[in-house]
Coordinates of all heavy atoms in Angstrom, one line a residue:
M1349 N -15.6 50.0 -64.1 CA -15.3 49.2 -62.9 C -15.6 47.7 -63.2 O -14.9 46.8 -62.8 CB -16.1 49.7 -61.7 CG -15.9 48.9 -60.4 SD -16.7 49.8 -59.1 CE -16.5 48.6 -57.8
F1350 N -16.8 47.4 -63.8 CA -17.2 46.1 -64.1 C -17.1 45.8 -65.6 O -17.5 46.6 -66.4 CB -18.6 45.8 -63.6 CG -18.7 46.0 -62.1 CD1 -19.4 47.0 -61.6 CD2 -18.2 45.0 -61.3 CE1 -19.6 47.2 -60.2 CE2 -18.3 45.2 -59.9 CZ -19.0 46.3 -59.4
N1351 N -16.6 44.6 -66.0 CA -16.6 44.2 -67.4 C -17.7 43.2 -67.6 O -17.5 42.1 -67.2 CB -15.2 43.6 -67.7 CG -14.1 44.6 -67.6 OD1 -14.3 45.8 -67.8 ND2 -12.9 44.2 -67.3
G1352 N -18.8 43.6 -68.1 CA -19.9 42.7 -68.3 C -20.9 42.8 -67.2 O -20.9 43.7 -66.4
E1353 N -21.9 41.9 -67.3 CA -22.9 41.9 -66.3 C -22.6 41.0 -65.1 O -21.9 40.1 -65.2 CB -24.2 41.4 -67.0 CG -24.7 42.3 -68.1 CD -26.0 41.9 -68.7 OE1 -26.8 41.2 -68.0 OE2 -26.3 42.2 -69.8
L1354 N -23.2 41.4 -64.0 CA -23.0 40.6 -62.8 C -24.3 39.9 -62.5 O -25.4 40.4 -62.7 CB -22.7 41.6 -61.6 CG -21.4 42.4 -61.7 CD1 -21.4 43.4 -60.5 CD2 -20.2 41.5 -61.7
D1355 N -24.1 38.7 -61.9 CA -25.3 37.9 -61.5 C -25.6 38.3 -60.1 O -24.9 39.0 -59.4 CB -25.2 36.4 -61.7 CG -24.1 35.8 -60.8 OD1 -23.8 36.3 -59.7 OD2 -23.5 34.8 -61.2
Q1356 N -26.8 37.9 -59.6 CA -27.2 38.3 -58.3 C -26.3 37.9 -57.2 O -26.0 38.7 -56.2 CB -28.6 37.7 -58.0 CG -29.2 38.1 -56.7 CD -30.6 37.6 -56.5 OE1 -31.1 36.8 -57.3 NE2 -31.3 38.0 -55.5
D1357 N -25.7 36.7 -57.2 CA -24.7 36.3 -56.2 C -23.5 37.2 -56.2 O -23.0 37.5 -55.1 CB -24.3 34.8 -56.4 CG -25.5 33.9 -56.1 OD1 -26.4 34.2 -55.3 OD2 -25.4 32.8 -56.7
E1358 N -23.0 37.6 -57.3 CA -21.8 38.5 -57.4 C -22.1 39.8 -56.8 O -21.3 40.4 -56.1 CB -21.4 38.7 -58.8 CG -20.7 37.4 -59.4 CD -20.4 37.5 -60.9 OE1 -21.2 38.1 -61.6 OE2 -19.3 37.1 -61.3
V1359 N -23.3 40.3 -57.0 CA -23.7 41.6 -56.4 C -23.8 41.5 -54.9 O -23.3 42.4 -54.2 CB -25.1 42.1 -57.0 CG1 -25.6 43.3 -56.3 CG2 -24.9 42.4 -58.5
I1360 N -24.4 40.4 -54.4 CA -24.6 40.2 -53.0 C -23.2 40.1 -52.4 O -22.9 40.7 -51.3 CB -25.4 39.0 -52.7 CG1 -26.9 39.2 -53.1 CG2 -25.3 38.6 -51.2 CD1 -27.7 38.0 -53.1
D1361 N -22.3 39.4 -53.0 CA -20.9 39.3 -52.5 C -20.2 40.6 -52.5 O -19.5 41.0 -51.5 CB -20.1 38.3 -53.3 CG -20.5 36.9 -53.0 OD1 -21.1 36.6 -52.0 OD2 -20.1 36.0 -53.9
F1362 N -20.4 41.4 -53.5 CA -19.7 42.7 -53.6 C -20.2 43.6 -52.5 O -19.4 44.3 -51.8 CB -20.0 43.3 -55.0 CG -19.5 44.7 -55.2 CD1 -18.1 44.9 -55.4 CD2 -20.3 45.8 -55.0 CE1 -17.6 46.2 -55.6 CE2 -19.8 47.1 -55.1 CZ -18.5 47.3 -55.4
V1363 N -21.5 43.7 -52.3 CA -22.1 44.5 -51.3 C -21.7 44.1 -49.9 O -21.3 44.9 -49.0 CB -23.6 44.6 -51.4 CG1 -24.3 45.3 -50.2 CG2 -24.1 45.2 -52.7
A1364 N -21.7 42.8 -49.6 CA -21.2 42.3 -48.3 C -19.8 42.6 -48.0 O -19.4 43.0 -46.9 CB -21.4 40.7 -48.3
N1365 N -18.9 42.5 -49.0 CA -17.5 42.8 -48.9 C -17.3 44.3 -48.6 O -16.5 44.8 -47.8 CB -16.7 42.4 -50.1 CG -16.5 40.9 -50.1 OD1 -16.4 40.3 -49.1 ND2 -16.3 40.3 -51.3
A1366 N -18.1 45.2 -49.3 CA -18.0 46.6 -49.2 C -18.5 47.0 -47.8 O -17.9 47.8 -47.1 CB -18.9 47.3 -50.2
Q1367 N -19.5 46.3 -47.3 CA -20.0 46.6 -45.9 C -18.9 46.3 -44.9 O -18.7 47.0 -43.9 CB -21.3 45.9 -45.6 CG -22.5 46.4 -46.3 CD -23.7 45.6 -46.1 OE1 -23.7 44.4 -46.0 NE2 -24.9 46.2 -46.0
K1368 N -18.3 45.2 -45.1 CA -17.2 44.7 -44.1 C -16.1 45.7 -44.1 O -15.6 46.1 -43.1 CB -16.7 43.4 -44.5 CG -17.7 42.2 -44.2 CD -17.1 40.9 -44.6 CE -18.1 39.8 -44.5 NZ -17.7 38.5 -45.0
K1369 N -15.7 46.2 -45.3 CA -14.6 47.1 -45.4 C -14.9 48.5 -44.8 O -14.1 49.1 -44.1 CB -14.2 47.4 -46.9 CG -13.5 46.2 -47.5 CD -13.1 46.5 -49.0 CE -12.5 45.2 -49.6 NZ -12.1 45.5 -51.0
I1370 N -16.1 48.9 -45.0 CA -16.6 50.2 -44.4 C -16.7 50.1 -42.9 O -16.2 51.0 -42.2 CB -18.0 50.6 -45.0 CG1 -17.8 51.0 -46.5 CG2 -18.6 51.8 -44.2 CD1 -19.1 51.2 -47.3
S1371 N -17.2 49.0 -42.4 CA -17.3 48.8 -41.0 C -16.0 48.8 -40.3 O -15.7 49.4 -39.3 CB -18.1 47.5 -40.7 OG -18.2 47.3 -39.3
K1372 N -15.0 48.1 -40.9 CA -13.7 48.0 -40.4 C -13.0 49.4 -40.4 O -12.4 49.8 -39.4 CB -12.8 47.1 -41.2 CG -11.4 46.9 -40.7 CD -10.7 45.9 -41.6 CE -9.2 45.7 -41.1 NZ -8.5 44.8 -41.9
E1373 N -13.2 50.2 -41.5 CA -12.6 51.5 -41.6 C -13.2 52.5 -40.6 O -12.4 53.2 -39.9 CB -12.8 52.0 -43.0 CG -12.1 53.3 -43.2 CD -10.6 53.3 -43.2 OE1 -10.0 52.2 -43.4 OE2 -10.0 54.3 -42.8
V1374 N -14.5 52.5 -40.4 CA -15.1 53.5 -39.5 C -14.8 53.1 -38.0 O -14.7 54.0 -37.2 CB -16.6 53.7 -39.7 CG1 -16.9 54.2 -41.1 CG2 -17.4 52.5 -39.4
T1375 N -14.6 51.8 -37.8 CA -14.2 51.4 -36.4 C -12.7 51.7 -36.1 O -12.4 52.2 -35.0 CB -14.5 49.9 -36.2 OG1 -15.8 49.6 -36.5 CG2 -14.1 49.4 -34.8
S1376 N -11.9 51.5 -37.1 CA -10.4 51.6 -36.8 C -10.0 53.1 -36.7 O -9.1 53.4 -36.0 CB -9.6 50.9 -37.9 OG -9.8 51.6 -39.2
N1377 N -10.7 54.0 -37.4 CA -10.3 55.4 -37.3 C -11.1 56.2 -36.3 O -11.0 57.4 -36.2 CB -10.4 56.1 -38.7 CG -11.7 56.2 -39.3 OD1 -12.7 56.2 -38.6 ND2 -11.8 56.5 -40.6
G1378 N -12.0 55.6 -35.5 CA -12.8 56.2 -34.5 C -14.0 57.0 -35.0 O -14.7 57.6 -34.2
L1379 N -14.3 56.9 -36.2 CA -15.5 57.6 -36.8 C -16.8 57.1 -36.2 O -17.6 57.9 -35.8 CB -15.5 57.4 -38.3 CG -16.6 58.2 -39.0 CD1 -16.5 59.7 -38.8 CD2 -16.6 57.9 -40.5
L1380 N -16.9 55.8 -36.0 CA -18.1 55.2 -35.4 C -18.3 55.7 -34.0 O -19.4 56.1 -33.6 CB -18.1 53.7 -35.4 CG -19.3 53.0 -34.9 CD1 -20.5 53.4 -35.8 CD2 -19.1 51.5 -34.9
T1381 N -17.3 55.8 -33.2 CA -17.4 56.3 -31.8 C -17.8 57.7 -31.8 O -18.7 58.1 -31.0 CB -16.1 56.1 -31.0 OG1 -15.7 54.7 -31.0 CG2 -16.2 56.6 -29.6
T1382 N -17.2 58.5 -32.6 CA -17.5 59.9 -32.7 C -19.0 60.1 -33.2 O -19.7 61.0 -32.6 CB -16.6 60.6 -33.7 OG1 -15.2 60.5 -33.3 CG2 -16.9 62.1 -33.9
A1383 N -19.4 59.4 -34.1 CA -20.8 59.5 -34.6 C -21.8 59.1 -33.5 O -22.8 59.7 -33.3 CB -21.0 58.6 -35.8
E1384 N -21.5 58.0 -32.7 CA -22.3 57.6 -31.6 C -22.4 58.7 -30.6 O -23.5 59.0 -30.0 CB -21.9 56.3 -31.1 CG -22.1 55.1 -32.0 CD -21.6 53.8 -31.5 OE1 -20.8 53.8 -30.5 OE2 -21.9 52.7 -32.0
D1385 N -21.2 59.2 -30.2 CA -21.2 60.3 -29.2 C -22.0 61.5 -29.6 O -22.8 62.0 -28.8 CB -19.7 60.7 -28.9 CG -18.9 59.7 -28.2 OD1 -19.5 58.7 -27.7 OD2 -17.7 59.8 -28.2
N1386 N -21.9 61.9 -30.9 CA -22.6 63.1 -31.4 C -24.1 62.8 -31.4 O -24.9 63.6 -31.0 CB -22.1 63.4 -32.8 CG -20.7 64.1 -32.7 OD1 -20.3 64.6 -31.7 ND2 -20.0 64.0 -33.9
A1387 N -24.5 61.6 -31.9 CA -25.9 61.2 -31.9 C -26.5 61.2 -30.5 O -27.6 61.7 -30.3 CB -26.1 59.9 -32.6
E1388 N -25.8 60.7 -29.5 CA -26.2 60.6 -28.2 C -26.5 62.0 -27.6 O -27.5 62.3 -27.0 CB -25.3 59.9 -27.3 CG -25.7 59.7 -25.9 CD -24.8 58.9 -25.0 OE1 -23.7 58.5 -25.4 OE2 -25.2 58.6 -23.8
K1389 N -25.5 62.9 -27.9 CA -25.7 64.3 -27.4 C -26.9 65.0 -28.0 O -27.7 65.7 -27.3 CB -24.4 65.1 -27.7 CG -23.2 64.7 -26.9 CD -21.9 65.4 -27.3 CE -20.7 64.9 -26.6 NZ -19.5 65.5 -27.1
V1390 N -27.0 64.9 -29.3 CA -28.1 65.5 -30.0 C -29.5 65.0 -29.6 O -30.4 65.7 -29.3 CB -28.0 65.4 -31.6 CG1 -29.2 65.8 -32.3 CG2 -26.8 66.2 -32.1
L1391 N -29.6 63.7 -29.5 CA -30.9 63.1 -29.1 C -31.2 63.4 -27.7 O -32.4 63.7 -27.3 CB -30.8 61.6 -29.3 CG -30.8 61.1 -30.8 CD1 -30.6 59.6 -30.9 CD2 -32.1 61.5 -31.5
T1392 N -30.2 63.3 -26.8 CA -30.5 63.6 -25.4 C -31.0 65.0 -25.2 O -31.9 65.3 -24.5 CB -29.2 63.4 -24.5 OG1 -28.8 62.0 -24.7 CG2 -29.4 63.7 -23.1
E1393 N -30.3 66.0 -25.9 CA -30.7 67.4 -25.8 C -32.1 67.6 -26.4 O -32.9 68.4 -25.9 CB -29.7 68.3 -26.4 CG -29.8 69.7 -26.1 CD -29.7 70.1 -24.7 OE1 -29.0 69.4 -23.9 OE2 -30.3 71.1 -24.2
F1394 N -32.3 67.0 -27.5 CA -33.6 67.1 -28.2 C -34.8 66.7 -27.3 O -35.7 67.4 -27.1 CB -33.6 66.2 -29.5 CG -34.9 66.2 -30.2 CD1 -35.4 67.2 -31.0 CD2 -35.8 65.1 -30.0 CE1 -36.6 67.1 -31.6 CE2 -37.0 65.0 -30.7 CZ -37.4 66.0 -31.5
F1395 N -34.6 65.5 -26.7 CA -35.7 65.0 -25.8 C -35.7 65.8 -24.5 O -36.8 66.0 -23.9 CB -35.5 63.5 -25.5 CG -36.0 62.7 -26.7 CD1 -35.0 62.1 -27.5 CD2 -37.3 62.6 -27.1 CE1 -35.4 61.3 -28.6 CE2 -37.7 61.9 -28.2 CZ -36.8 61.2 -28.9
K1396 N -34.6 66.3 -24.0 CA -34.6 67.1 -22.8 C -35.4 68.4 -23.0 O -36.1 68.8 -22.0 CB -33.1 67.4 -22.4 CG -33.0 68.3 -21.2 CD -31.5 68.6 -20.9 CE -31.3 69.5 -19.8 NZ -29.9 69.9 -19.6
N1397 N -35.3 69.0 -24.1 CA -36.1 70.2 -24.4 C -37.6 69.9 -24.4 O -38.4 70.9 -24.4 CB -35.6 70.8 -25.8 CG -34.3 71.4 -25.7 OD1 -33.9 71.9 -24.6 ND2 -33.6 71.4 -26.8
M1398 N -38.0 68.7 -24.5 CA -39.4 68.3 -24.5 C -39.8 67.7 -23.1 O -40.8 67.0 -23.0 CB -39.8 67.4 -25.6 CG -39.6 68.0 -27.0 SD -40.2 67.0 -28.4 CE -39.2 65.5 -28.2
D1399 N -38.9 67.9 -22.2 CA -39.1 67.4 -20.8 C -39.1 65.8 -20.7 O -39.8 65.3 -19.9 CB -40.3 67.9 -20.1 CG -40.2 69.4 -19.9 OD1 -39.1 69.9 -19.6 OD2 -41.2 70.1 -20.1
Y1400 N -38.3 65.2 -21.5 CA -38.1 63.7 -21.5 C -36.7 63.5 -21.0 O -35.7 64.2 -21.3 CB -38.3 63.1 -22.8 CG -39.7 63.0 -23.3 CD1 -40.3 64.0 -24.1 CD2 -40.6 62.0 -22.8 CE1 -41.6 63.9 -24.5 CE2 -41.9 61.9 -23.2 CZ -42.4 62.9 -24.1 OH -43.7 62.8 -24.5
T1401 N -36.5 62.4 -20.3 CA -35.2 61.9 -20.0 C -35.0 60.6 -20.8 O -35.8 59.7 -20.7 CB -35.0 61.6 -18.5 OG1 -35.3 62.8 -17.8 CG2 -33.6 61.1 -18.1
V1402 N -33.9 60.5 -21.5 CA -33.7 59.3 -22.3 C -32.3 58.7 -22.0 O -31.4 59.4 -21.5 CB -33.8 59.6 -23.8 CG1 -35.2 60.0 -24.2 CG2 -32.8 60.6 -24.3
H1403 N -32.2 57.4 -22.2 CA -30.9 56.7 -22.1 C -30.7 56.1 -23.5 O -31.4 55.3 -24.0 CB -31.0 55.6 -21.1 CG -29.7 54.8 -20.9 ND1 -28.6 55.4 -20.4 CD2 -29.4 53.6 -21.3 CE1 -27.6 54.5 -20.4 NE2 -28.1 53.4 -21.0
I1404 N -29.6 56.5 -24.1 CA -29.3 56.0 -25.5 C -28.2 54.9 -25.4 O -27.2 55.1 -24.7 CB -28.7 57.2 -26.3 CG1 -29.6 58.4 -26.3 CG2 -28.4 56.7 -27.8 CD1 -30.9 58.3 -26.9
T1405 N -28.5 53.8 -26.1 CA -27.5 52.7 -26.2 C -27.4 52.3 -27.6 O -28.3 52.4 -28.4 CB -27.9 51.5 -25.3 OG1 -29.1 51.0 -25.7 CG2 -27.9 51.8 -23.9
F1406 N -26.2 51.9 -28.0 CA -26.0 51.4 -29.4 C -25.6 49.9 -29.4 O -24.8 49.5 -28.5 CB -24.8 52.2 -30.0 CG -25.1 53.7 -30.1 CD1 -24.8 54.6 -29.2 CD2 -25.8 54.1 -31.2 CE1 -25.1 55.9 -29.3 CE2 -26.1 55.5 -31.4 CZ -25.8 56.4 -30.4
E1407 N -26.2 49.2 -30.3 CA -25.9 47.8 -30.4 C -24.8 47.5 -31.4 O -24.6 48.3 -32.4 CB -27.1 47.0 -30.8 CG -28.2 47.1 -29.8 CD -29.5 46.3 -30.2 OE1 -29.4 45.6 -31.2 OE2 -30.4 46.3 -29.4
E1408 N -24.0 46.5 -31.2 CA -22.9 46.1 -32.1 C -23.5 45.5 -33.4 O -24.5 44.9 -33.4 CB -22.0 45.1 -31.5 CG -21.3 45.6 -30.3 CD -20.1 46.4 -30.6 OE1 -19.4 46.1 -31.6 OE2 -19.9 47.3 -29.8

C-alpha cells in the first residue's frame, strides 16, 4: 500500500481522511442510526433490570 516510509504528518493526514470517509459512509447508509438505536435499547434494558431509569443521548 505504501512505497517507503511515512512521516508523522502523512500518517496524521491519512488517519484523518480515513475517519472522514468512515463517518460519511456510516452516516449515509444508516449504520450509525441503527447502531445508536441498538445501543439505546440494550443500555436501557440493562439499567432497567437493575431498577434504574436512564435517558440515552448521542452527541454529534
